[in-house]
Amino acid sequence: MGLKATALLALLCLTTLGLSTVTRDSYSHTNCYPDLAEVEVEELISGLESGAWTSVDLTKAYILRIEETNSILNAITEINPDALSIAASLDAERANGTIRSPLHGVPMLIKNNIATNDQMNNTAGSYSLLGAKVPRDATVAAKLREAGVVLLGKSNLSQWANFRSFNSSNGWSAYGGQVTGAYYPSMDPSGSSAGSGVGSSIGLAFAALGTETDGSIVSPSSRNNLVGIKPSVGLTSRSLVIPISEHQDTVGPMARSVRDASYILSIIAGRDENDNYTLAQPWNTPPDYTQYLNFSSLRGARIGIPRNGLSQTSTNKPVLDAFEAAIEIMKNAGATIVENANFSAWDEYVADENAPIGNSTIVLDADFVSNLASYLSQLTSNPNNIKSLADEANYTHHFALEDYPNRDTGVWDQSLSLGYNNSESRFWQAYQYSSYLGGEGGVLGALKMYNLDALILPTDDSPGLPARAGLPIVTVPLGFYPSNTTVEKSQRGLVEVGPNIPFGLSFMGAKWSEGTLIGLAYAFEQRTLTRNKIKPYLLPNTQLADVVGT
Ligand SMILES: *[C@@H]1O[C@H](CO)[C@@H](O)[C@H](O)[C@H]1NC(C)=O
Ligand SMILES: *[C@@H]1O[C@H](CO)[C@@H](O)[C@H](O)[C@H]1NC(C)=O
Ligand SMILES: *[C@@H]1O[C@H](CO)[C@@H](O)[C@H](O)[C@H]1NC(C)=O
Ligand SMILES: *[C@@H]1O[C@H](CO)[C@@H](O)[C@H](O)[C@H]1NC(C)=O
Ligand SMILES: *[C@@H]1O[C@H](CO)[C@@H](O)[C@H](O)[C@H]1NC(C)=O
Ligand SMILES: *[C@@H]1O[C@H](CO)[C@@H](O)[C@H](O)[C@H]1NC(C)=O
Ligand SMILES: *[C@@H]1O[C@H](CO)[C@@H](O)[C@H](O)[C@H]1NC(C)=O
Ligand SMILES: *[C@@H]1O[C@H](CO)[C@@H](O)[C@H](O)[C@H]1NC(C)=O
Ligand SMILES: *[C@@H]1O[C@H](CO)[C@@H](O)[C@H](O)[C@H]1NC(C)=O
Ligand SMILES: *[C@@H]1O[C@H](CO)[C@@H](O)[C@H](O)[C@H]1NC(C)=O
Ligand SMILES: CC(=O)N[C@H]1CO[C@H](CO)[C@@H](O)[C@@H]1O
């Protein structure tokens, strides 16, 4: 093809992309496919609709991208052996006019604590559960499957969602190895949804699901330059998700834009007879969250700044500067900023956190004993016959690859030595106090006192209070550490702070206020587009051009 024709085709490509009229032919032999590290779902879908690419093409490309990067980043623990055949049948459905949902044919990753009744294992990163079987898909996985999402693979995580050890590292699991972030060599990916964060950030799939008990969606989303939605506890089912705490666990999307995350949330939200907490939802069918994507939604919104929850450390000056700049951006977008919308029980929260075994710790420790046993009791095959936390601890202490005692089991030791589970009144007292710290003494109290739509904090400071009261958070990219930042490493040598490492901004609100938070986060995201201002140091090369037609 001559130069002129190529240029013409590239032009055609650019102009027709937006109109969704590109055909498979006009794409071939050009480089005008969308960049899989950045593409949003509406563009992926328009290519599926026009026939420019297929779900099989997408699945092939993502598998190659995983294979290119996994030896360094370890983000993925396994690829679904059925992914290509599932994609082919979804392509056949599309061809005959069956469109299951707005995400029909799009591949996603799910965290390796969300069970699927297929060839993939669900281990929380432990060898003890390898080969274990579940009676059905986790409800959130089933909802994605029914919506025509290709469950492409499982993402690595901080083992047991970071509920095992006091001296492990973010993103390490015995089964999956050490995840590292893509924005700096040997970067601490944060956790516990570390592989979901890395996989979504560099386009190893369209997006990923994570889970959060206290920070495990929003923190790795923040560190990996993503949007993360931590839903209200009870908005998304936890049935057949390996638990920590029924009072705090929740499942949510980690994606490259608020829009993409909203599409996913709309699919996974909803009531489930197998998870009581979902029956408290104030509606029979949850809203379509994409309706809240409104560029003007900061206009007239009342946004509180809880200054007493803002930490000032030796290294977070870039975060604080970006946070103050964000406040100005919101003012300019028409928001009313309410300064010093402080948390009334902040000092009590800090005291409880610093106590050897505070009320918040009791909630997680006691819930874990009960909730883990309940998960294990549902397995239809349990090769190592693990029935309880005591069994799990014993297995871990004796199986060399679990890296004990180099990585201790201090969290479990504490749970077991508590001597009771969540069926006792002392548990209930601890829960009442802990949820008060996050609720009336924390986020809910400030929202009411100052008549606010939402509170904002740097994401580093945001998860603790919402965790204790089951409240939602939406995080969006806020900024990144500048090139002259001094590198700081964690105990196990991962780079926690360093040049180019991203951080996020969190919007926090009342229970079931995801729609409001999504609207505010979208308006902020669209005014800043911070994600696009930095690039990972490592990106896979495979693109759609390499697989279409092969
Ligand atoms: C379309 O294909 C799917 C999957 O092969 C099949 O279940 C469905 O019945 C087909 N629908 C029509 C309208 O042909
Ligand atoms: C799941 O674990 C079993 C047992 O180790 C292994 O044979 C199988 O390949 C694993 N599945 C996947 C998809 O990796
Ligand atoms: C919650 O579910 C359990 C079984 O899954 C059931 O025994 C219990 O009654 C339910 N509680 C409520 C409040 O629905
Ligand atoms: C978007 O938000 C603005 C400000 O709150 C509001 O006036 C407008 O009606 C909203 N638009 C839609 C389509 O909801
Ligand atoms: C809020 O907290 C900040 C930081 O601790 C403090 O300076 C300020 O006086 C507090 N304001 C109110 C109204 O409590
Ligand atoms: C735990 O909660 C109780 C109230 O149930 C409270 O009196 C106590 O101070 C709390 N413990 C800590 C360490 O904050
Ligand atoms: C929880 O504690 C109660 C009371 O001691 C006991 O009957 C029950 O078996 C325990 N449940 C689990 C899962 O340990
Ligand atoms: C602990 O694990 C070892 C090795 O797997 C096993 O031989 C032993 O029976 C286990 N002990 C208990 C109390 O389960
Ligand atoms: C982790 O803690 C255990 C138990 O205290 C200790 O034996 C081990 O050396 C520690 N590992 C590291 C790397 O600090
Ligand atoms: C990095 O550069 C900025 C602006 O040039 C300066 O304000 C800051 O102090 C520098 N930081 C370090 C750690 O050198
Ligand atoms: C899909 C994949 O690459 N899985 C790898 C994840 O990490 C473990 C441990 O490093 C490897 O054994 C798997 O092959």
Side-chain angles (χ1 to χ4, degrees), residues 160-163 213 242-246 249 364 367-369 371:
W160 294 103
N162 198 27
F163 207 75
T213 306
I242 297 176
I244 293 175
S245 160
E246 64 185 277
D249 293 350
L364 300 190
D367 264 349
F368 189 59
V369 171
N371 295 158

Side-chain angles (χ1 to χ4, degrees), residues 291-336:
Q291 75 183 278
Y292 297 100
L293 302 169
N294 178 347
F295 185 81
S296 303
S297 49
L298 281 163
R299 196 196 313 143
R302 289 178 58 84
I303 309 274
I305 318 295
R307 290 273 168 198
N308 65 344
L310 188 64
S311 62
Q312 322 250 353
T313 70
S314 57
T315 51
N316 76 346
K317 182 155 191 316
V319 179
L320 295 175
D321 290 349
F323 182 66
E324 299 306 329
I327 293 172
E328 289 309 308
I329 289 165
M330 290 189 213
K331 273 187 199 159
N332 292 335
T336 300

Side-chain angles (χ1 to χ4, degrees), residues 258 297 474-476 507 516-526:
V258 177
S297 49
V474 177
T475 179
V476 292
F507 292 82
T516 302
L517 302 183
I518 283 169
L520 299 172
Y522 176 78
F524 179 76
E525 173 200 53
Q526 294 302 308

Side-chain angles (χ1 to χ4, degrees), residues 311-499:
S311 62
Q312 322 250 353
T313 70
S314 57
T315 51
N316 76 346
K317 182 155 191 316
V319 179
L320 295 175
D321 290 349
F323 182 66
E324 299 306 329
I327 293 172
E328 289 309 308
I329 289 165
M330 290 189 213
K331 273 187 199 159
N332 292 335
T336 300
I337 299 296
V338 180
E339 276 293 343
N340 291 308
N342 288 356
F343 301 126
S344 64
W346 179 255
D347 294 344
E348 291 89 332
Y349 165 73
V350 172
D352 197 66
E353 282 300 281
N354 291 337
I357 301 200
N359 293 284
S360 312
T361 301
I362 291 173
V363 170
L364 300 190
D365 285 356
D367 264 349
F368 189 59
V369 171
S370 301
N371 295 158
L372 179 66
S374 164
Y375 175 82
L376 295 167
S377 73
Q378 296 174 74
L379 296 177
T380 52
S381 165
N382 188 343
N384 294 303
N385 202 27
I386 309 285
K387 305 273 195 212
S388 66
L389 177 55
D391 293 345
E392 183 55 55
N394 182 51
Y395 178 96
T396 302
H397 293 159
H398 288 92
F399 194 76
L401 291 174
E402 293 289 326
D403 202 22
Y404 177 86
N406 180 35
R407 299 184 196 245
D408 66 29
T409 53
V411 177
W412 296 349
D413 304 344
Q414 195 181 59
S415 280
L416 290 167
S417 67
L418 193 62
Y420 60 92
N421 63 37
N422 67 6
S423 66
E424 296 209 5
S425 63
R426 346 179 220 181
F427 168 85
W428 189 244
Q429 270 184 347
Y431 172 66
Q432 291 297 311
Y433 187 73
S434 176
S435 60
Y436 155 78
L437 293 176
E440 291 305 319
V443 174
L444 297 179
L447 289 171
K448 258 182 235 161
M449 170 89 84
Y450 301 101
N451 187 28
L452 304 171
D453 296 296
L455 292 161
I456 56 169
L457 277 177
T459 299
D460 292 344
D461 292 328
S462 71
L465 296 178
R468 279 150 190 74
L471 306 176
I473 310 174
V474 177
T475 179
V476 292
L478 172 64
F480 51 93
Y481 282 94
S483 57
N484 63 350
T485 302
T486 307
V487 166
E488 283 191 20
K489 293 185 179 176
S490 67
Q491 186 191 7
R492 290 185 186 269
L494 296 174
V495 174
E496 286 181 318
V497 174

Side-chain angles (χ1 to χ4, degrees), residues 90-115:
L90 292 166
D91 282 334
E93 288 186 20
R94 183 177 287 282
N96 75 10
T98 305
I99 309 291
R100 295 173 179 227
S101 83
L103 300 186
H104 184 112
V106 171
M108 273 182 66
L109 296 164
I110 60 176
K111 187 178 180 179
N112 200 334
N113 59 357
I114 301 171

